[in-house]
């Protein structure tokens, strides 16, 4: 169960999702504009944000960037059917996942629970790779002794890759392991998350030492 902030301007969609998520056990606060959503977030930070990108005034892209600059809270964006610009822009702004409208409430609830599970504990202990330390019990990451703030999705990606150094993961394997559902052929979630993770842990994201691209296959961790 989660405390969710739902930011959606369409009153019918907003009310429908509020009721549906409430029936699944979540506590839902709502906002109809980007400005109101940011104010609600600052007043009482939620455990997860469901964010429509096409908002009046301050749009969802700007809201996502502002939230992400201040918090690692999971963000699920709502996007129009087939609109690649929305998906790519939202992921680059820092969203962890996306759902296409119209969305079935049971699907959205499943996505919410999957995103929240990504912070689950890993029993393997502390993994040290060069100057990067991944504590899978405390779910913390440090680089040369300095704490690194990762989103739940970035952390889950790092845990997956660092758990098998040298192993090449295809994008589809990472989709299934990290996002826990199947976006057949959709590599944007993986590629955008890799870019964000590299920006936080790599000395030179253009020439990564940790999260390396294996051209034509996918990604691997190290060797460092």
């Amino acid at each position: 169960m989660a405390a969710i902030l739902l930011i959606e301007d369409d009153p019918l969609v907003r009310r429908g999702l509020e009721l549906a998520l409430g029936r699944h056990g979540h506590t839902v606060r709502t906002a109809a504009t980007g400005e109101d959503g940011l104010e609600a977030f600052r007043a009482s930070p939620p455990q997860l944000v469901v964010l429509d990108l096409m908002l009046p005034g301050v749009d969802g892209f700007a809201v996502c960037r502002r939230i992400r600059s201040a918090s690692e809270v999971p963000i699920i964006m709502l996007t129009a059917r087939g609109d690649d610009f929305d998906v790519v822009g939202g992921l680059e702004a820092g969203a962890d996942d996306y759902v296409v409208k119209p969305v079935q409430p049971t699907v959205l609830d499943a996505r919410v629970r999957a995103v929240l599970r990504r912070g689950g504990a890993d029993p393997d202990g502390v993994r040290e790779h060069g100057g990067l330390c991944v504590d899978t019990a405390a779910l913390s990451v440090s680089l040369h002794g300095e704490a690194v703030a990762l989103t739940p999705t970035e952390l889950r990606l790092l845990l997956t890759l660092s758990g098998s150094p040298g192993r090449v993961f295809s994008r589809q394997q990472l989709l299934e392991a990290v996002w826990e559902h199947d976006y057949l052929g959709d590599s944007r979630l993986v590629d955008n998350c890799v870019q964000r993770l590299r920006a936080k842990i790599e000395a030179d994201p253009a020439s990564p030492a940790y999260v390396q691209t294996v051209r034509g296959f996918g990604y691997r961790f190290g060797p460092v």
Side-chain angles (χ1 to χ4, degrees), residues 8-10 13 52-54 78-81 99-103:
E8 164 64 58
D9 66 313
D10 186 311
V13 174
D52 183 30
L53 291 184
M54 295 296 102
L78 300 175
T79 181
R81 181 178 298 277
V99 293
V100 176
K101 295 194 295 185
V103 57

Side-chain angles (χ1 to χ4, degrees), residues 65-148:
R65 285 192 294 269
R66 292 188 193 179
I67 290 176
R68 184 57 70 233
S69 70
S71 172
E72 304 303 322
V73 66
I75 300 172
I76 297 177
M77 63 181 188
L78 300 175
T79 181
R81 181 178 298 277
D83 194 333
D84 289 348
F85 176 80
D86 280 8
V87 173
V88 173
L91 293 174
E92 290 180 345
D96 295 281
D97 199 355
Y98 73 89
V99 293
V100 176
K101 295 194 295 185
V103 57
Q104 293 295 323
T106 53
V107 172
L108 180 57
D109 174 64
R111 299 286 178 83
V112 166
R113 293 172 188 271
V115 167
L116 293 172
R117 282 199 303 270
R118 290 169 200 163
D122 184 316
D124 294 342
V126 177
R127 304 169 185 169
E128 294 188 32
H129 308 272
L132 184 69
C133 179
V134 182
D135 188 329
T136 65
L139 296 177
S140 63
V141 177
S142 61
L143 184 62
H144 304 301
E146 296 292 328
V148 179

Side-chain angles (χ1 to χ4, degrees), residues 7-224:
I7 308 175
E8 164 64 58
D9 66 313
D10 186 311
L12 294 178
V13 174
R14 185 173 64 249
R15 183 56 175 164
L17 292 179
E18 178 186 10
L19 292 173
L21 289 170
R23 284 195 294 269
H24 282 93
H26 304 292
T27 302
V28 183
R29 291 181 296 133
T30 66
T33 67
E35 293 92 336
D36 288 347
L38 289 168
E39 183 177 342
F41 183 88
R42 288 189 292 265
S44 181
Q47 293 173 278
L48 183 140
V49 177
V50 177
L51 172 65
D52 183 30
L53 291 184
M54 295 296 102
L55 296 170
V58 179
D59 66 18
F61 300 102
V63 172
C64 187
R65 285 192 294 269
R66 292 188 193 179
I67 290 176
R68 184 57 70 233
S69 70
S71 172
E72 304 303 322
V73 66
I75 300 172
I76 297 177
M77 63 181 188
L78 300 175
T79 181
R81 181 178 298 277
D83 194 333
D84 289 348
F85 176 80
D86 280 8
V87 173
V88 173
L91 293 174
E92 290 180 345
D96 295 281
D97 199 355
Y98 73 89
V99 293
V100 176
K101 295 194 295 185
V103 57
Q104 293 295 323
T106 53
V107 172
L108 180 57
D109 174 64
R111 299 286 178 83
V112 166
R113 293 172 188 271
V115 167
L116 293 172
R117 282 199 303 270
R118 290 169 200 163
D122 184 316
D124 294 342
V126 177
R127 304 169 185 169
E128 294 188 32
H129 308 272
L132 184 69
C133 179
V134 182
D135 188 329
T136 65
L139 296 177
S140 63
V141 177
S142 61
L143 184 62
H144 304 301
E146 296 292 328
V148 179
L150 301 181
T151 68
T153 306
E154 292 162 359
L155 177 60
R156 181 64 173 263
L157 177 63
L158 181 57
L159 288 171
T160 299
L161 291 169
S162 66
S164 302
R167 174 186 169 183
V168 178
F169 289 84
S170 70
R171 289 171 173 80
Q172 193 60 39
Q173 287 173 323
L174 291 172
L175 280 170
E176 294 169 1
V178 176
W179 282 264
E180 299 183 356
H181 50 72
D182 183 12
Y183 285 116
L184 186 60
D186 188 345
S187 63
R188 292 169 297 188
L189 281 171
V190 177
D191 293 340
N192 279 278
C193 192
V194 165
Q195 290 176 12
R196 299 200 307 268
L197 179 60
R198 283 174 172 168
K200 294 180 179 181
I201 68 171
E202 302 285 0
D204 181 5
S207 182
Y210 298 111
V211 181
Q212 300 178 347
T213 300
V214 180
R215 193 172 301 278
F217 292 94
Y219 297 101
R220 71 179 176 190
F221 189 86
V224 178

